[in-house]
Amino acid sequence: HFVFILLSAIVLLFQCIEVIDLKPDLAVASMSFSPNDPAVEDSITFVVIVKNSGLESSPEAVLSIRTGNDKKDIPVPAISMGDTAHIVYTAIFDSVRSLQSTVILDPYNSIEEENENNNTDSLIFTVNPLKRPSDLVIDTVFFSPENPVINQVLTITTYIKNIGIYD
């Protein structure tokens, strides 16, 4: 009976042991851009912070960026558990518009993670008209008299126009 009780105890012990599967858990911790008020032809810098909150280091991954109709994939380095990686990319837009930029971490599900529901983030921003400083141009020029002769006083009148955005 002793052997039977011992075997029963061993079986019961194995039933109580829970096997923990250690996995990374990559997440988009934050996403930002600068300048805060971008204009046409500005170089806009985007920063995505990726954190590994899992119990295992992550292998290299992919960050897919979708802004308007543009899509690009950027490599993400391997991240130790508890660490972060800063992914920086730039974009220049040639027209005035409002856009949504969405990032998807591990878009092809090549990494088995603890939580697959924290891999995306997005932000909305507006590309504003080109910011031109004061831009003075000669609008019109008048001569008086219109057909001067030698030794005659000539009066030149010029109108200047500001086509920029500042006075």
Side-chain angles (χ1 to χ4, degrees):
H1 288 202
F2 176 72
V3 173
F4 177 73
I5 293 173
L6 182 61
L7 286 176
S8 295
I10 291 173
V11 169
L12 184 61
L13 180 64
F14 278 113
Q15 288 176 348
C16 292
I17 295 175
E18 181 181 341
V19 177
I20 298 174
D21 190 12
L22 302 179
K23 298 178 189 174
D25 183 17
L26 296 176
V28 177
S30 69
M31 181 178 178
S32 62
F33 67 95
S34 66
N36 291 331
D37 192 23
V40 170
E41 298 179 8
D42 280 353
S43 180
I44 305 171
T45 301
F46 295 86
V47 178
V48 179
I49 298 176
V50 177
K51 182 174 175 79
N52 180 2
S53 300
L55 300 173
E56 179 76 26
S57 293
S58 75
E60 291 182 357
V62 171
L63 182 70
S64 182
I65 299 143
R66 296 177 183 148
T67 305
N69 294 327
D70 298 330
K71 179 188 173 210
K72 70 166 92 171
D73 287 346
I74 297 178
V76 176
I79 304 172
S80 300
M81 73 179 189
D83 282 345
T84 59
H86 291 68
I87 310 303
V88 178
Y89 63 99
T90 59
I92 298 173
F93 299 97
D94 60 1
S95 63
V96 174
R97 55 190 164 158
S98 288
L99 292 165
Q100 178 170 330
S101 185
T102 301
V103 294
I104 304 168
L105 187 57
D106 190 28
Y108 309 109
N109 291 320
S110 59
I111 300 171
E112 188 177 343
E113 300 179 65
E114 290 178 22
N115 180 359
E116 297 285 349
N117 297 318
N118 56 3
N119 290 357
T120 64
D121 198 1
S122 63
L123 53 82
I124 296 173
F125 63 98
T126 300
V127 178
N128 297 299
L130 185 61
K131 296 176 186 175
R132 292 191 284 179
S134 298
D135 189 0
L136 305 178
V137 295
I138 295 174
D139 188 36
T140 52
V141 177
F142 296 103
F143 299 95
S144 178
E146 284 186 25
N147 297 311
V149 290
I150 297 176
N151 294 329
Q152 186 178 13
V153 174
L154 175 66
T155 304
I156 302 173
T157 305
T158 304
Y159 290 96
I160 298 176
K161 182 177 180 182
N162 180 4
I163 62 171
I165 61 170
Y166 300 114
D167 292 335

Tab-separated table of all heavy atoms in Angstrom, residues 50-82:
chain	number	residue	atom	x	y	z
A	50	VAL	N	9.027	51.227	-27.673
A	50	VAL	CA	8.589	49.837	-27.583
A	50	VAL	C	9.152	49.264	-26.290
A	50	VAL	O	10.342	49.386	-26.017
A	50	VAL	CB	9.094	49.024	-28.793
A	50	VAL	CG1	8.704	47.556	-28.657
A	50	VAL	CG2	8.565	49.612	-30.091
A	51	LYS	N	8.288	48.635	-25.491
A	51	LYS	CA	8.695	48.061	-24.208
A	51	LYS	C	8.452	46.566	-24.222
A	51	LYS	O	7.461	46.098	-24.759
A	51	LYS	CB	7.916	48.706	-23.065
A	51	LYS	CG	8.326	48.172	-21.695
A	51	LYS	CD	7.649	48.936	-20.581
A	51	LYS	CE	7.950	48.353	-19.229
A	51	LYS	NZ	9.212	48.688	-18.670
A	52	ASN	N	9.376	45.839	-23.596
A	52	ASN	CA	9.192	44.400	-23.405
A	52	ASN	C	8.838	44.173	-21.941
A	52	ASN	O	9.703	44.223	-21.073
A	52	ASN	CB	10.454	43.625	-23.775
A	52	ASN	CG	10.280	42.133	-23.584
A	52	ASN	OD1	9.207	41.656	-23.218
A	52	ASN	ND2	11.340	41.386	-23.830
A	53	SER	N	7.559	43.914	-21.665
A	53	SER	CA	7.088	43.666	-20.305
A	53	SER	C	7.014	42.176	-19.993
A	53	SER	O	6.526	41.792	-18.933
A	53	SER	CB	5.688	44.272	-20.113
A	53	SER	OG	5.739	45.651	-20.327
A	54	GLY	N	7.487	41.360	-20.898
A	54	GLY	CA	7.387	39.911	-20.717
A	54	GLY	C	8.456	39.351	-19.795
A	54	GLY	O	9.283	40.067	-19.234
A	55	LEU	N	8.429	38.027	-19.661
A	55	LEU	CA	9.359	37.312	-18.791
A	55	LEU	C	10.525	36.713	-19.568
A	55	LEU	O	11.283	35.907	-19.027
A	55	LEU	CB	8.605	36.201	-18.036
A	55	LEU	CG	7.462	36.692	-17.145
A	55	LEU	CD1	6.680	35.514	-16.593
A	55	LEU	CD2	7.998	37.566	-16.027
A	56	GLU	N	10.660	37.120	-20.822
A	56	GLU	CA	11.718	36.603	-21.682
A	56	GLU	C	12.161	37.725	-22.610
A	56	GLU	O	11.362	38.591	-22.992
A	56	GLU	CB	11.158	35.428	-22.503
A	56	GLU	CG	12.125	34.788	-23.461
A	56	GLU	CD	13.143	33.886	-22.768
A	56	GLU	OE1	12.852	33.359	-21.682
A	56	GLU	OE2	14.239	33.730	-23.323
A	57	SER	N	13.430	37.735	-22.991
A	57	SER	CA	13.909	38.703	-23.978
A	57	SER	C	13.223	38.443	-25.307
A	57	SER	O	12.872	37.307	-25.624
A	57	SER	CB	15.420	38.586	-24.153
A	57	SER	OG	16.073	38.998	-22.981
A	58	SER	N	13.040	39.508	-26.078
A	58	SER	CA	12.390	39.339	-27.382
A	58	SER	C	13.443	39.224	-28.467
A	58	SER	O	14.524	39.804	-28.355
A	58	SER	CB	11.486	40.531	-27.680
A	58	SER	OG	12.262	41.652	-28.037
A	59	PRO	N	13.118	38.525	-29.532
A	59	PRO	CA	14.006	38.556	-30.701
A	59	PRO	C	13.779	39.864	-31.451
A	59	PRO	O	12.932	40.673	-31.065
A	59	PRO	CB	13.514	37.357	-31.523
A	59	PRO	CG	12.073	37.205	-31.144
A	59	PRO	CD	11.978	37.639	-29.706
A	60	GLU	N	14.512	40.069	-32.527
A	60	GLU	CA	14.274	41.231	-33.364
A	60	GLU	C	12.842	41.177	-33.885
A	60	GLU	O	12.296	40.096	-34.096
A	60	GLU	CB	15.257	41.276	-34.535
A	60	GLU	CG	16.676	41.567	-34.099
A	60	GLU	CD	17.633	41.655	-35.279
A	60	GLU	OE1	17.212	41.441	-36.430
A	60	GLU	OE2	18.812	41.939	-35.023
A	61	ALA	N	12.248	42.341	-34.081
A	61	ALA	CA	10.854	42.412	-34.528
A	61	ALA	C	10.738	43.424	-35.659
A	61	ALA	O	11.734	44.005	-36.096
A	61	ALA	CB	9.959	42.800	-33.352
A	62	VAL	N	9.524	43.648	-36.083
A	62	VAL	CA	9.223	44.617	-37.137
A	62	VAL	C	8.172	45.579	-36.611
A	62	VAL	O	7.234	45.170	-35.925
A	62	VAL	CB	8.685	43.905	-38.404
A	62	VAL	CG1	8.160	44.906	-39.423
A	62	VAL	CG2	9.754	43.037	-39.019
A	63	LEU	N	8.343	46.865	-36.924
A	63	LEU	CA	7.349	47.885	-36.617
A	63	LEU	C	6.826	48.394	-37.957
A	63	LEU	O	7.583	48.932	-38.760
A	63	LEU	CB	7.961	49.036	-35.822
A	63	LEU	CG	6.997	50.136	-35.400
A	63	LEU	CD1	6.048	49.624	-34.317
A	63	LEU	CD2	7.757	51.340	-34.888
A	64	SER	N	5.546	48.178	-38.210
A	64	SER	CA	4.927	48.627	-39.448
A	64	SER	C	4.273	49.982	-39.195
A	64	SER	O	3.527	50.146	-38.234
A	64	SER	CB	3.879	47.606	-39.909
A	64	SER	OG	3.313	48.013	-41.133
A	65	ILE	N	4.577	50.939	-40.073
A	65	ILE	CA	4.061	52.295	-39.927
A	65	ILE	C	3.163	52.582	-41.115
A	65	ILE	O	3.568	52.426	-42.263
A	65	ILE	CB	5.210	53.314	-39.876
A	65	ILE	CG1	6.083	53.008	-38.681
A	65	ILE	CG2	4.673	54.727	-39.796
A	65	ILE	CD1	7.526	53.222	-38.947
A	66	ARG	N	1.945	53.012	-40.817
A	66	ARG	CA	0.991	53.363	-41.875
A	66	ARG	C	0.517	54.782	-41.642
A	66	ARG	O	-0.120	55.079	-40.634
A	66	ARG	CB	-0.179	52.393	-41.854
A	66	ARG	CG	0.275	50.982	-42.179
A	66	ARG	CD	-0.818	49.972	-42.099
A	66	ARG	NE	-0.239	48.655	-42.367
A	66	ARG	CZ	-0.676	47.557	-41.837
A	66	ARG	NH1	-1.688	47.566	-41.019
A	66	ARG	NH2	-0.088	46.407	-42.130
A	67	THR	N	0.867	55.664	-42.583
A	67	THR	CA	0.470	57.065	-42.508
A	67	THR	C	-0.168	57.429	-43.839
A	67	THR	O	0.515	57.415	-44.862
A	67	THR	CB	1.667	57.974	-42.207
A	67	THR	OG1	2.306	57.531	-41.017
A	67	THR	CG2	1.222	59.413	-42.026
A	68	GLY	N	-1.464	57.742	-43.813
A	68	GLY	CA	-2.157	57.989	-45.075
A	68	GLY	C	-2.072	56.742	-45.931
A	68	GLY	O	-2.394	55.646	-45.480
A	69	ASN	N	-1.606	56.886	-47.176
A	69	ASN	CA	-1.452	55.734	-48.069
A	69	ASN	C	-0.054	55.133	-48.017
A	69	ASN	O	0.226	54.169	-48.724
A	69	ASN	CB	-1.777	56.148	-49.511
A	69	ASN	CG	-3.232	56.515	-49.676
A	69	ASN	OD1	-4.098	55.944	-49.022
A	69	ASN	ND2	-3.514	57.481	-50.535
A	70	ASP	N	0.828	55.720	-47.213
A	70	ASP	CA	2.201	55.232	-47.127
A	70	ASP	C	2.316	54.135	-46.083
A	70	ASP	O	1.688	54.197	-45.029
A	70	ASP	CB	3.154	56.372	-46.760
A	70	ASP	CG	3.174	57.477	-47.807
A	70	ASP	OD1	2.946	57.163	-48.991
A	70	ASP	OD2	3.409	58.640	-47.440
A	71	LYS	N	3.142	53.139	-46.384
A	71	LYS	CA	3.405	52.063	-45.429
A	71	LYS	C	4.880	51.705	-45.499
A	71	LYS	O	5.443	51.603	-46.581
A	71	LYS	CB	2.561	50.832	-45.750
A	71	LYS	CG	2.823	49.688	-44.784
A	71	LYS	CD	2.125	48.403	-45.219
A	71	LYS	CE	2.570	47.296	-44.305
A	71	LYS	NZ	2.581	46.015	-44.891
A	72	LYS	N	5.488	51.561	-44.324
A	72	LYS	CA	6.881	51.115	-44.301
A	72	LYS	C	7.099	50.255	-43.067
A	72	LYS	O	6.423	50.410	-42.059
A	72	LYS	CB	7.861	52.277	-44.353
A	72	LYS	CG	7.913	53.141	-43.101
A	72	LYS	CD	9.129	54.056	-43.070
A	72	LYS	CE	8.842	55.382	-43.670
A	72	LYS	NZ	9.903	56.352	-43.478
A	73	ASP	N	8.033	49.329	-43.189
A	73	ASP	CA	8.413	48.465	-42.071
A	73	ASP	C	9.804	48.859	-41.600
A	73	ASP	O	10.702	49.073	-42.420
A	73	ASP	CB	8.425	46.992	-42.491
A	73	ASP	CG	7.027	46.423	-42.689
A	73	ASP	OD1	6.060	47.077	-42.259
A	73	ASP	OD2	6.901	45.327	-43.261
A	74	ILE	N	9.945	48.982	-40.280
A	74	ILE	CA	11.218	49.351	-39.676
A	74	ILE	C	11.625	48.247	-38.714
A	74	ILE	O	10.792	47.770	-37.928
A	74	ILE	CB	11.104	50.693	-38.919
A	74	ILE	CG1	10.758	51.815	-39.895
A	74	ILE	CG2	12.370	51.015	-38.154
A	74	ILE	CD1	10.576	53.166	-39.256
A	75	PRO	N	12.897	47.826	-38.737
A	75	PRO	CA	13.323	46.789	-37.796
A	75	PRO	C	13.383	47.307	-36.362
A	75	PRO	O	13.727	48.460	-36.121
A	75	PRO	CB	14.722	46.401	-38.304
A	75	PRO	CG	15.177	47.536	-39.146
A	75	PRO	CD	13.955	48.232	-39.653
A	76	VAL	N	13.029	46.444	-35.426
A	76	VAL	CA	13.104	46.729	-33.996
A	76	VAL	C	14.148	45.772	-33.438
A	76	VAL	O	14.055	44.562	-33.665
A	76	VAL	CB	11.741	46.505	-33.296
A	76	VAL	CG1	11.854	46.700	-31.795
A	76	VAL	CG2	10.688	47.430	-33.880
A	77	PRO	N	15.139	46.269	-32.706
A	77	PRO	CA	16.168	45.365	-32.181
A	77	PRO	C	15.594	44.439	-31.110
A	77	PRO	O	14.515	44.679	-30.568
A	77	PRO	CB	17.197	46.326	-31.571
A	77	PRO	CG	16.407	47.543	-31.222
A	77	PRO	CD	15.330	47.650	-32.272
A	78	ALA	N	16.335	43.375	-30.801
A	78	ALA	CA	15.952	42.500	-29.687
A	78	ALA	C	15.929	43.347	-28.411
A	78	ALA	O	16.761	44.233	-28.234
A	78	ALA	CB	16.953	41.358	-29.560
A	79	ILE	N	14.946	43.074	-27.539
A	79	ILE	CA	14.792	43.857	-26.311
A	79	ILE	C	14.781	42.907	-25.121
A	79	ILE	O	13.982	41.974	-25.074
A	79	ILE	CB	13.482	44.682	-26.332
A	79	ILE	CG1	13.430	45.586	-27.567
A	79	ILE	CG2	13.343	45.506	-25.056
A	79	ILE	CD1	12.099	46.291	-27.764
A	80	SER	N	15.655	43.173	-24.165
A	80	SER	CA	15.694	42.371	-22.935
A	80	SER	C	14.424	42.615	-22.138
A	80	SER	O	13.789	43.663	-22.264
A	80	SER	CB	16.901	42.748	-22.072
A	80	SER	OG	18.090	42.524	-22.777
A	81	MET	N	14.066	41.644	-21.271
A	81	MET	CA	12.844	41.825	-20.486
A	81	MET	C	12.986	43.051	-19.596
A	81	MET	O	14.033	43.307	-19.012
A	81	MET	CB	12.503	40.571	-19.688
A	81	MET	CG	13.341	40.270	-18.529
A	81	MET	SD	12.707	38.757	-17.772
A	81	MET	CE	13.693	38.792	-16.316
A	82	GLY	N	11.933	43.877	-19.592
A	82	GLY	CA	11.906	45.101	-18.801
A	82	GLY	C	12.507	46.314	-19.487
A	82	GLY	O	12.375	47.425	-18.995
